[in-house]
Structures are given as C-alpha cells and as structure tokens.
Amino acid sequence: MQNPVHPQVKAFAVRIRQWGSWQLGAVLVLLMAALVLLSYLGYTAVLNRELVLHELQLLLAYTVPAFAVAVMLVFYLILKLDAALAFLQDSAQSERQLNQSMQESIRQLNFEIEERKRAFQAKRRAIEELRKEIAERRKTEQELAEQSLLIRSIVDSSPDLFYYRDERGLLASCNKMFESIMERPMSALLGQDLTRLYDANSRQAAILSEYGLAAPETELTLDVQFKKLDGSVLWFEMRHLPFYDRQGSYIGLLGFGRDITSRKLAEQALEKAYQDKGQFIATLSHELRTPLNGIVGLSRRLLSSELGPEQSSWANTIFTSAETLGNIFNDIIDLDKIDRHQLDIVYQSVNLQHFLQDIANFAHLICQQKGLQFELKPEGLIDSYLLLDTTRLRQVLWNLLSNAVKFTRQGQVRLRCLLQAEQLLLEVSDTGIGIAQHDLPRIFDLYYKSKDGQRLSIVGSGIGLSVSRSLVEAMSGHIQVTSTVGEGSTFSIRLPVVFAQAPEQLPPISCPPLTILLIEDVPLNADIAITLLEQRGHTVIHAETGEDALALLETEDDLDLVLLDMQLPDMDGADIARYIRSDQRLAVLPTVMLSANVRKAQESLGDIKLDGVLAKPLNTDKLDQLLAELFSPSALRLQQSSSQEPDSGSTNHPALDETVLQGYLQSLGKGAMQRSAQLFAQLLPGYINKLLEAAVQQQTKELQSVAHKLKGAAAAVGLAWVMQQARALEEQEPDWQGLQRQLLELHFTAEQHLATLQQYIEQY
C-alpha cells in the first residue's frame, strides 16, 4: 500500500526542482528574516519597549543562518527521500515486469515442451513411414529394373530399329538393329553427335532423316532407301517424333524405323502391274476401237440399204454383236479406271426429256431386233434441266436395257422415269426369265454369273452390272434389283436431283472430229485433257511414256494431231518432236507441244517446226482456238466476230489461277473440278513424300522430276502458288541444308491453298 506522505514529498521535491534549491532557500531565508523582523517589531509594540537595533541584529544573525542550514538540510532530505521513493517505485515496477516475463517464459517453456513431445512423436511416425517408403522404393526399383531389362530385351530383339537423341543432338539410346545399320557398337555410338560421326553422303545418313535439319523438333514420316555393302537394298519407314517434358520443353527426338522392304517390293511390283495393265488396255483400245467402229458403221449402212430378210437378219446380228462387244470393252476400260480410282464424273446441264428420248431410240432398236415391245413411261415434270453425267448414265441404262433384252424371250421391256423434288428414279423392268433369290445378293459382284440352267447358254463378261453399280455410286446414287423367277426383273436407280438452267447457246467453233494422240505422264493432266477433247467429239489415244508414244506413232495411220508433253519420264518431248519431223510419213502430222513454261519450250524447240505450243494447264479457249486455226479457220473467224467480253466481276485469290479455273468450271462443270481437287488432295502426300526421299538422298534428277509432276498437277487445278514453288524446285539448284523443312512448309501451305480452292469451287 502506498504511503500517504509520499505524494506530498514528491510534490515538494518537484517544487524544489522547479525553483531550484538555492533560489527557493534564499526566498525562504528572506521570508524567515522578514518574519523575525515582524515578530520583533510586534514584540516591542506589545510590550511597549523601545526598538534596540543591536538586539535585532543579534537575533537576525543567529536565526537566519540556522534557518538557512535547516532549510538546506530539509531540501536535501526531501530530494533524497524522493529519489529513494522513485527508486523503490522503479524497482517494484521492474519486479512486476520480471515476474510477468518469468510467467510468460514458463508458459512458453511449457508450450515448447508440449511441441517437442508432439514433434518427437511425429518424428517417430515419419521414421516409420520413411522405412516403409524405402522398402517400397527398393521393391519398385527392383520391379523397374526387371521391367527395364524386359523392355530392353524386347527392343533389342525387335526387327525394327530404334534410337533416341537428346536435345543437344547426342545419341542417348538405341537397339541392336540400329547398331547393325550404323555398323558400330552401342558403346561407340552413345553420347556421339551422329551428324559428325557420319558424313552427309554416307549410307547411314539416309536413316537419319532429320539429318541437317535446323529444327529437328518436327514430326516426320517417310520411306528411305538403305543400300547394304553387299549391294542389296532395304527400305525403312522412318518415323521421327519430338519428345517433350511436362512443361512442354523439347528434350529429345525419338526415331523409329520399320523394315518395309517386302511391302516396297510388292508396291513396286503392283505399280508395274498397273502400268503393264494400263499399257495393255491402251494398246487394246487402239487395236479394237478402229475395227469395231468400222464394223458398226458398215453394219449401219447395210441396215439402211435394201437387203433381203435373211441378209437383214445377218446385218442385225453383226450390228448387235459389234455393239455388245463395244459395250463389254467399255466396261473393261471403266473397270480399269475404277480399280485405279480414276473414274471421273462430269456433270452438265441436260434436258431430261431429250435424254430419255435418246435412250428410248436405242431401246426401240434393240427390242425391235428381238421382237420385243418397249415402253417409255415418264412421270413428273421431265421437261426439266438437271445436272447429270449423261455419258455415264447412258452407259448404265444401255447396260441394263441390253441385259433386259438379252434375258427376255417374249413380252416387253419398260423404262420408267419418275422425277421428284429430291430424287430421280429410273426403273428398267422386263418380262424375262428373272433372277433366283440366292443370286440377288451377288448379282452386282465382279465376274459373277448365275449358275442356273437357263443362263448357261448366255454369253456375258460378268462385269457389266458391277461397273454399273460403281458408276451409279460415283454419281452419289444407289442401284438395286428385285426379281421373280419366270416373271422378270426390275433394276431401280436413284440419283440425287440438282436442277439447272438451260445451257447458254454460244456460237460454237465447228471443228471436225479428230483422232488425237495425247502424250502426257501426269494422270490428272491427262484425265482433264481427255475429258476436254472427248467433250468436243474427238477420239483420244493416250500414251504415258515416250516409248509408248513412239510405238503408237509407228502403228497408227489415222492420227490427225499430236499433243506432246515437254517432259516425260523416259525421254524428252523434244526428241519425240524431232522424230516426228524426221519421219517422212509423219512430217506433215500437226504437232502441238504442251508445257508449263511456254517460253522455255519455245527456246528449246527453236530448231523444230511445230504447229503450236499450249501452256499447261490447258486453257479451254486457247485449245478451241488452236484446233480451229489448224482444222477450221472459217469457223474461227465467225466465232471471233461474235465473242463477248469476259466477266470482270470475279474475285481474285493470290493462291489460285482464276483464269484457268473459270475456263475449267465453264467447260467441265463444278462436279468435275471438285473431283479434280479431291484427286490432287490424294496425290499431294505422295508427291511430298517422294520429294522428301529425294531430298534425304540428295538426288537432284529425281527431285526435279517429281517437282515437274507436282507443277503440272497443281497447274491443272489452278493452284498458282504451289505451281510456282514446284517450278522453283525444278529449275533452281537445290539447297539441301534447309530443303526438307521447306518441303514440309510447302505441304502445309498447299493444303491451305487446296482448302481455298475447294471453297472457291463451292461458291462458283
């Protein structure tokens, strides 16, 4: 409990400090002196005494000093007492703080003791968990080691080669097959930079398809050829995949190589078989069409002349047999095109009523020869214009009508046509012998013929219905059959309907039908040229190589024109042109050179007198003009006098040659151009792979040859930028260092331009 004196002492001490000890003491002494003086004066006044100065001086001399000493002593004691009290107060405060600090330390110590107990328990549990984890890790490591050994054994025993290069390009792993191909053990390969270990021209460099690439982080798949020391050749399908970590950073390249030698040899054998078959069919076309045309033409003239009944029957038999043989031959040609996926459907605006009347005329003729009745049953608004491939549809209907007449002894054959809003239905029905139920599921199979007794005497190729189904499906349609034995059969064709406007009547160039030898090695260019020429009524004989062309020039006597490609796989077009001009029999034969580079062709053919040079892709207007100049000059002048200005409202695409596209779209139609674009899309990966193979093996001639084909194919569908890039590859000296990356970028950009082309055709 605090002393009540303490506040007074403290207050007095404060006053002393405020005034100062000497100043306050002096004041008190003066007050004391004044008090003594006043007391003495009062004393004398009360006692009525006389003031004695000497007494007063003595009184002041004794009293004032004593009082001053007492005051100073009191001041000293008060200050000391205040200091002592302050010290005691500070000590008590410090004691209280120390006490609180000790209590806090005790609480903290107790907390730390509890925490250490818990940490010790957690440590014991962690040690137990660590022991379990170590045991599990040892078990996992053992299992991984066993699995790694198993995987390593599998990889080493694999007939496929494998290797892994890290982000620095150093070999990190490989298998036994890779060691065998590289002809060095793994110990000598690991950690090595293969671009320094092997020369770029070495046999092993062909396996490293990313060899020399500035950016190997590119996925790549291509076939490479590897020549062994003994001269044997192996083919590998090399696939390179970039390897990334979880953060997406490139950490290496995985290389896989599968031995595809047997497959490659089979492909080469199959390709040769296709070429041999194509050459055989081309020769067969030449050998059969001329005599068949003669038989058909002469038999028609005989039928129109005055003949006896027996002679007329013989002439009818000759005519029907020739027509049947021609149809079978057409089926064989189409079957070959279907087998090579080269069957083209060319749509054009056709009046359905006129088309049916043409078919009916043919059907009346063949039914009349056998004493059958023919009925045409149109339903709906058939006097309409539709987009149809009349050539293919006519071929299908002729095939079905011929079969109906063939298998009908008496009765009638009927063609029913029903035009609906979304579907065109064509039905060919007969009252013939019918088809057994077990034969119906296979009636459209290739080479399939019924085995029932009624059909054993019927001669047929077994391919007509199969070709008809393929043609209908190529036109996005469907064909089916229903039949009852002894009552007849009905073949139904359903085609999608696309209405069209009547074709604009332009003044045509009247050019007589010609027999034209087309020498072209690019299938896409050849198909388009053949379609254009056949649409104009000409007969086209196609040769894919210079050797075939020379053989046809020696055997053909009725050629009117030669369209000659500048560059062929086995010889130069200029050599064939010189051969034509040097041969006395062929010297006057009109010869026109086809080239993607007209100026270069004219320079190289300066010493050869040709009748013209056409740029590839063929421009329909220039083609008609050239044919008219050579074979119908008067019609050309008439056409030129009535020509119209071209439409200038089109939109140009930097990637496309719109002039070529407009000509093809107007001549061939939208459907044909769509199929040409699809065919180019199918051919493009093959061209790119061949270019990559040539780039890997640094084969300049092969690179330029494939680039020439790509240039022609791109030009044929109006891909101007792709054609320019291919021309640069063909004409410029290749830069092997960055060529593979350039080809990959070419592939990517070409696909983008192809999408632009397809969109352009859709909007036409």
Side-chain angles (χ1 to χ4, degrees), residues 442-461:
R442 300 189 57 192
I443 196 67
F444 292 105
D445 291 351
L446 187 62
Y447 305 125
Y448 181 77
K449 292 190 288 186
S450 175
K451 299 299 189 296
D452 61 87
Q454 299 184 48
R455 294 174 176 264
L456 290 178
S457 60
I458 302 297
V459 178
S461 62

Side-chain angles (χ1 to χ4, degrees), residues 150-409:
L150 176 61
I151 293 174
R152 186 70 203 179
S153 301
I154 294 174
V155 171
D156 283 339
S157 61
S158 173
D160 301 336
L161 62 87
F162 163 80
Y163 67 93
Y164 170 65
R165 295 172 65 180
D166 60 20
E167 69 278 6
R168 298 171 299 173
L170 305 181
L171 187 71
S173 181
C174 65
N175 67 345
K176 295 292 185 183
M177 186 63 180
F178 187 76
E179 294 182 48
S180 175
I181 294 298
M182 295 294 108
E183 299 177 353
R184 295 193 183 188
M186 185 188 301
S187 58
L189 294 173
L190 293 181
Q192 297 292 329
D193 185 351
L194 300 181
T195 60
R196 297 181 179 179
L197 195 62
Y198 294 97
D199 185 77
N201 297 322
S202 63
R203 296 178 297 110
Q204 289 81 3
I207 300 299
L208 307 170
S209 305
E210 82 285 359
Y211 192 92
L213 281 180
E217 309 91 34
T218 304
E219 184 175 339
L220 183 65
T221 301
L222 71 161
D223 299 344
V224 299
Q225 185 182 20
F226 179 79
K227 294 182 179 180
K228 301 174 68 176
L229 292 176
D230 58 2
S232 59
V233 176
L234 297 178
W235 283 91
F236 288 94
E237 183 185 62
M238 296 302 303
R239 181 170 177 80
H240 300 133
L241 298 172
F243 194 49
Y244 301 93
D245 59 13
R246 294 182 178 179
Q247 288 73 33
S249 300
Y250 173 74
I251 60 174
L253 185 73
L254 297 174
F256 302 91
R258 172 158 296 180
D259 189 346
I260 57 170
T261 305
S262 57
R263 188 185 80 184
K264 205 69 176 180
L265 294 176
E267 289 178 355
Q268 294 174 354
L270 182 62
E271 182 66 24
K272 186 177 185 304
Y274 271 119
Q275 293 176 356
D276 292 344
K277 183 176 71 172
Q279 184 176 357
F280 168 75
I281 292 178
T283 305
L284 189 65
S285 172
H286 160 66
E287 296 296 336
L288 290 184
R289 284 190 184 276
T290 301
L292 273 178
N293 291 335
I295 295 173
V296 171
L298 290 176
S299 60
R300 282 178 177 171
R301 295 183 64 181
L302 284 174
L303 288 172
S304 63
S305 62
E306 296 181 0
L307 297 175
E310 187 176 11
Q311 293 173 331
S312 178
S313 175
W314 291 346
N316 278 330
T317 303
I318 294 173
F319 175 77
T320 304
S321 299
E323 286 285 350
T324 302
L325 185 59
N327 291 334
I328 292 175
F329 179 70
N330 289 334
D331 290 340
I332 294 174
I333 299 296
D334 287 335
L335 184 65
D336 177 64
K337 291 184 177 180
I338 294 169
D339 191 35
R340 291 187 290 171
H341 304 285
Q342 295 180 349
L343 183 64
D344 289 332
I345 303 298
V346 180
Y347 293 98
Q348 56 185 351
S349 179
V350 178
N351 185 279
L352 182 60
Q353 185 175 11
H354 296 168
F355 173 74
L356 291 176
Q357 192 59 49
D358 292 340
I359 299 297
N361 293 336
F362 167 78
H364 276 298
L365 178 61
I366 61 176
C367 287
Q368 214 173 35
Q369 295 171 355
K370 202 170 180 181
L372 303 175
Q373 296 294 324
F374 174 76
E375 178 186 0
L376 175 62
K377 187 177 180 182
E379 299 178 14
L381 299 176
I382 63 170
D383 191 12
S384 304
Y385 283 89
L386 305 179
L387 286 181
L388 296 173
D389 186 334
T390 55
T391 302
R392 300 302 184 185
L393 185 56
R394 183 182 292 109
Q395 182 178 345
V396 173
L397 291 176
W398 281 1
N399 199 335
L400 297 179
L401 290 169
S402 298
N403 286 344
V405 172
K406 184 188 302 183
F407 297 112
T408 302
R409 294 188 179 95

